[in-house]
Amino acid sequence: MADATQQMAKDTKYSAVNLLKDAGVDAGRWNRMPDDATIEKMVEAIEARNIRVILVDTAEEALRAVVDLLPGGAEVMYGSSTTLAEIGFDRVIRENRKGWRDYHAVITAENDTEKRHALRRKGVAADYFLSGVQAITESGEIVVR
């Protein structure tokens, strides 16, 4: 498992390292890596809900896992996610070496409001929709705002 001091490949203004002081929270409590036993318990709880878990140790491994899961030519939509930005997915989707249909780029390039709304509706039904979560509990509950 990764150690608690590891940084992501690219910090953003929304990365924890940049928000903890402003948030006035105890960084030792809220920005630490759980121990291996806790991670194992969490993985078992998530997998018991028929959700596949892929554990990685680095941002680079996380990016590779995401890229490997997305087949060439697939429709890809992604929501706002600090984690995706931190691991470098924004660069990979721009380079688009696998020929994905990048709905996010199509939507943000559309200036006509009606067309953009129609594209957003289509985007949420893309082959793959990527997003982040705000927290994962030890009991395997995934928190999304």
Side-chain angles (χ1 to χ4, degrees), residues 54-139:
I54 301 170
L55 287 176
V56 297
D57 287 323
T58 67
E60 293 79 19
E61 290 174 6
L63 181 59
R64 174 59 37 218
V66 170
V67 170
D68 288 349
L69 288 170
L70 301 173
E75 298 173 340
V76 177
M77 178 62 182
Y78 52 98
S80 178
S81 168
T82 299
T83 302
L84 286 174
E86 287 177 333
I87 67 172
F89 184 75
D90 52 344
R91 175 188 51 80
V92 169
I93 194 77
R94 273 193 316 275
E95 292 172 357
N96 200 359
R97 295 181 182 172
K98 291 180 84 172
W100 299 312
R101 174 145 170 82
D102 177 1
Y103 271 102
H104 190 271
V106 172
I107 291 166
T108 56
E110 180 55 62
N111 292 320
D112 180 275
T113 302
E114 274 188 45
K115 289 180 183 176
R116 189 171 44 249
H117 288 312
L119 287 167
R120 285 188 191 282
R121 284 189 295 279
K122 190 171 183 179
V124 296
D127 297 334
Y128 294 86
F129 189 98
L130 308 176
S131 189
V133 300
Q134 283 64 51
I136 303 174
T137 69
E138 187 175 320
S139 60

Side-chain angles (χ1 to χ4, degrees), residues 5-68:
T5 61
Q6 177 190 342
Q7 293 294 308
M8 292 304 247
K10 177 178 81 174
D11 288 333
T12 73
K13 70 180 187 176
Y14 299 111
S15 295
V17 68
N18 294 323
L19 295 177
L20 288 171
K21 183 179 177 187
D22 289 344
V25 298
D26 178 358
R29 179 174 181 200
W30 297 108
N31 195 39
R32 64 176 171 74
M33 290 294 295
D35 61 33
D36 288 349
T38 301
I39 292 172
E40 186 175 318
K41 181 178 178 181
M42 178 201 61
V43 167
E44 288 173 4
I46 293 170
E47 289 180 338
R49 296 170 187 211
N50 294 318
I51 299 172
R52 180 177 169 206
V53 175
I54 301 170
L55 287 176
V56 297
D57 287 323
T58 67
E60 293 79 19
E61 290 174 6
L63 181 59
R64 174 59 37 218
V66 170
V67 170
D68 288 349

